[in-house]
Amino acid sequence: MKKISPLILSLLTGLLLVAAWPDAGFTPLIFIAWLPLLLLADQEENKIRFFLFALLSMFIWNAGTTWWIWNSTAPGAIGAIVANSFLMAIPLWGFHTFKTKYGDRVGLISLMAFWLTFEYVHLNWQLSWPWLTLGNVFAKRIEWVQWYELTGVSGGSLWVLSANVMLFLLIKAAKKSRVATAVGTFAILLLPIVLSFFVRPNKVDEKATTNVVIVQPNVDPYNEKHVAASTEGQVQRLIDLSEKNIDANTKLVLWPETALPVAVWQDQVQQSPQYAPVFEFANRHPDLTLQTGIETIKNYGTEKATNTARKNDSDGTYYDVFNAAVVIKAGEPLQYYNKSKLVPGVETLPDFLLWLGPIFEQFGGTAGGYGHDKEAIAFKVTGNPYITAPIICYESIYGEYTTNYIKKGANLLTIMTNDGWWANTPGHKQHLDYARLRAVETRKWVARSANTGISAVINSNGDILEKRPWDEVGTIKYAIPAIDGETFFVRNGALIFGLALFVMTALLAYHFIMILKKRFIGNKA
């Protein structure tokens, strides 16, 4: 095959990944997006040069799909895009190393194992940023991936990589094996879509005698959100919108992330004068449960109880600030959930970077980071059929973490978010679409309250049934069924990631054995 410019191949992979991603929407391009990089690996033997070209591809992908972070924090956007591109290039460098040393077959297996392991690690370490997990690409083609109830997004990542690998092998196939390779390629491309139609439930349970009211207050996060003087007006807007829509069958009212924006001591919320109207609203409607985002503070006394605890220099006590959710019902004790999956750099820093806290604080983050719960919590309230999963913003991109709410008994996914920091960019649209994946993985309905939009109701097949546009005040009242039960994915997690980790460990072990064998036995020979 005639050599193609490495720069062109590198640019092609990056641009194809951007074009395939939500919200660009040319999803089928994902099945050829990795092909130029595979061809590049086939003709480029120099490891450093390949790494740099792979890094360029990953930079284009990151910049072209997540540039909107800039609207929230320019330094944070640069840091996230550059760091994530570098991290993504590492498994590709590993693939090139194994391909060069052990040939195509081992190299291509290593590509899938290394990349899937990277995605797993990127879901679970302190600098987690899984926005570009490959399986997320099908968020706008939800009808193709109904089998995510079995695999989660890891199955989509494996599908993408397998299809690209088979196309690469088809291009390289000898004439006698070309037909068999072509059949295998088309099978990998089409069989998951066919399976999706068999897995998708024919009927979605829409019978419900109770309804949920979702409120979209459309508060400007830059000029209004955390200004104490405007809190009274914000709270009254939320209450007015709620009372205009509730009826005798309303069991749950859902407000967005940090709808109650002024941080107060967690054990004194009910005594806070700013929030007195909220509790008066709850008392007027004793059969109603209100779930809302809130900022709170918890005091630990003189003990530094957590790594994120900050010291109050005036009295020597320690405290944490939480991006939290609370459920309020007349006559019931308050229940809290403190956001667990925090946004790196903005809401949290890994332990090894805590010394950079003051610098991140200047860029819109927090010096010590927010406090957080260690596990998911489901809100169960007496007399309410909805056992809710209080998913706060960024947490909704974590499929396996979301299953923990279901294991705690949740029968409705309630997403509270504030995507207004990103302005009217693809960011809030991608975020909405990712919620559809969570619905399919868990086969639960989603009620999504977004401060500036897009608020929505999503059924257990991932279909958006009703939504409110970006940058508008609005409400949704919808009769949502509470669905019990667990999918295979909820019960078993992302088994594909586990398999990839096993294969990667075996490959690395073999590689190091070969190195040791060459160094010690080879030298004696």
Side-chain angles (χ1 to χ4, degrees), residues 122-203:
H122 219 23
L123 281 163
N124 292 287
W125 72 317
Q126 289 185 313
L127 278 178
S128 178
W129 176 242
W131 200 272
L132 297 184
T133 296
L134 273 176
N136 289 342
V137 74
F138 300 110
K140 278 198 174 300
R141 301 283 184 172
I142 207 74
E143 67 277 8
W144 293 1
V145 289
Q146 292 293 310
W147 41 269
Y148 273 16
E149 69 167 79
L150 305 173
T151 69
V153 293
S154 62
S157 297
L158 179 60
W159 185 23
V160 169
L161 293 170
S162 300
N164 279 272
V165 164
M166 288 303 296
L167 284 169
F168 171 74
L169 292 175
L170 180 59
I171 290 172
K172 292 191 66 177
K175 184 175 290 187
K176 62 180 181 180
S177 61
R178 196 164 291 163
V179 173
T181 307
V183 171
T185 301
F186 283 109
I188 286 176
L189 284 169
L190 297 177
L191 285 179
I193 297 176
V194 174
L195 174 63
S196 190
F197 283 99
F198 282 101
V199 171
R200 179 184 174 98
N202 291 326
K203 293 183 179 179

Side-chain angles (χ1 to χ4, degrees), residues 44-118:
E44 179 58 71
E45 295 184 1
N46 186 287
K47 291 185 179 69
I48 295 176
R49 279 174 54 85
F50 178 80
F51 178 84
L52 293 175
F53 283 121
L55 180 61
L56 176 59
S57 296
M58 298 300 100
F59 178 81
I60 293 170
W61 181 18
N62 276 267
T65 54
T66 61
W67 57 268
W68 40 264
I69 304 172
W70 185 280
N71 287 37
S72 175
T73 163
I78 294 170
I81 290 169
V82 171
N84 209 48
S85 301
F86 181 83
L87 292 171
M88 285 178 160
I90 293 174
L92 299 176
W93 170 78
F95 146 66
H96 183 266
T97 299
F98 273 71
K99 181 185 184 310
T100 302
K101 192 169 184 64
Y102 302 112
D104 276 355
R105 181 176 298 179
V106 174
L108 293 171
I109 292 172
S110 75
L111 169 66
M112 293 186 280
F114 291 169
W115 185 269
L116 289 168
T117 300
F118 158 74

Side-chain angles (χ1 to χ4, degrees), residues 197-456:
F197 283 99
F198 282 101
V199 171
R200 179 184 174 98
N202 291 326
K203 293 183 179 179
V204 176
D205 185 6
E206 296 195 32
K207 296 178 181 178
T209 57
T210 57
N211 65 63
V212 178
V213 170
I214 301 166
V215 179
Q216 181 174 300
N218 200 33
V219 176
D220 183 345
Y222 288 101
N223 298 316
E224 294 181 77
K225 192 67 178 170
H226 295 278
V227 180
S230 69
T231 300
E232 181 179 347
Q234 293 176 40
V235 169
Q236 196 57 52
R237 184 189 306 181
L238 288 159
I239 293 171
D240 290 344
L241 288 167
S242 302
E243 291 200 308
K244 287 177 182 177
N245 289 273
I246 60 176
D247 58 32
N249 294 320
T250 304
K251 289 296 183 181
L252 177 67
V253 172
L254 185 65
W255 293 354
E257 178 187 18
T258 60
L260 307 183
V262 177
V264 296
W265 296 107
Q266 201 163 87
D267 59 352
Q268 298 177 18
V269 171
Q270 287 175 285
Q271 289 75 46
S272 170
Q274 298 105 316
Y275 299 143
V278 177
F279 292 95
E280 292 168 3
F281 164 71
N283 290 332
R284 286 196 299 274
H285 308 283
D287 293 330
L288 193 70
T289 300
L290 169 65
Q291 180 176 311
T292 178
I294 184 172
E295 285 219 5
T296 63
I297 313 169
K298 186 174 183 178
N299 192 300
Y300 300 120
T302 56
E303 178 187 0
K304 192 178 191 302
T306 66
N307 287 339
T308 55
R310 314 174 196 187
K311 188 175 183 179
N312 187 337
D313 293 330
S314 64
D315 60 8
T317 60
Y318 289 90
Y319 66 95
D320 260 327
V321 179
F322 296 108
N323 182 354
V326 62
V327 285
I328 302 169
K329 186 180 181 184
E332 294 276 335
L334 302 184
Q335 297 179 50
Y336 289 98
Y337 167 67
N338 303 312
K339 185 179 180 183
S340 178
K341 293 292 187 180
L342 301 172
V343 182
V346 178
E347 294 180 322
T348 186
L349 287 174
D351 293 342
F352 61 88
L353 288 180
L354 284 176
W355 60 279
L356 289 175
I359 297 174
F360 278 86
E361 189 172 25
Q362 295 178 28
F363 296 152
T366 58
Y370 279 93
H372 58 88
D373 278 346
K374 293 182 179 179
E375 60 182 8
I377 294 171
F379 286 151
K380 186 175 184 179
V381 180
T382 303
N384 195 321
Y386 301 113
I387 304 174
T388 61
I391 302 168
I392 303 175
C393 189
Y394 182 63
E395 293 181 321
S396 65
I397 65 174
Y398 289 86
E400 196 159 9
Y401 181 75
T402 299
T403 67
N404 293 313
Y405 296 102
I406 311 303
K407 292 173 183 176
K408 297 291 180 67
N411 55 29
L412 174 66
L413 304 184
T414 49
I415 298 175
M416 299 160 287
T417 187
N418 178 20
D419 299 342
W421 304 105
W422 312 328
N424 191 11
T425 64
H428 75 276
K429 299 173 186 176
Q430 293 170 6
H431 200 195
L432 169 66
D433 287 329
Y434 292 168
R436 303 173 70 187
L437 301 176
R438 304 292 83 80
V440 173
E441 289 170 342
T442 63
R443 291 302 181 194
K444 297 290 181 283
W445 284 53
V446 176
R448 186 177 195 267
S449 175
N451 170 35
T452 53
I454 302 169
S455 298

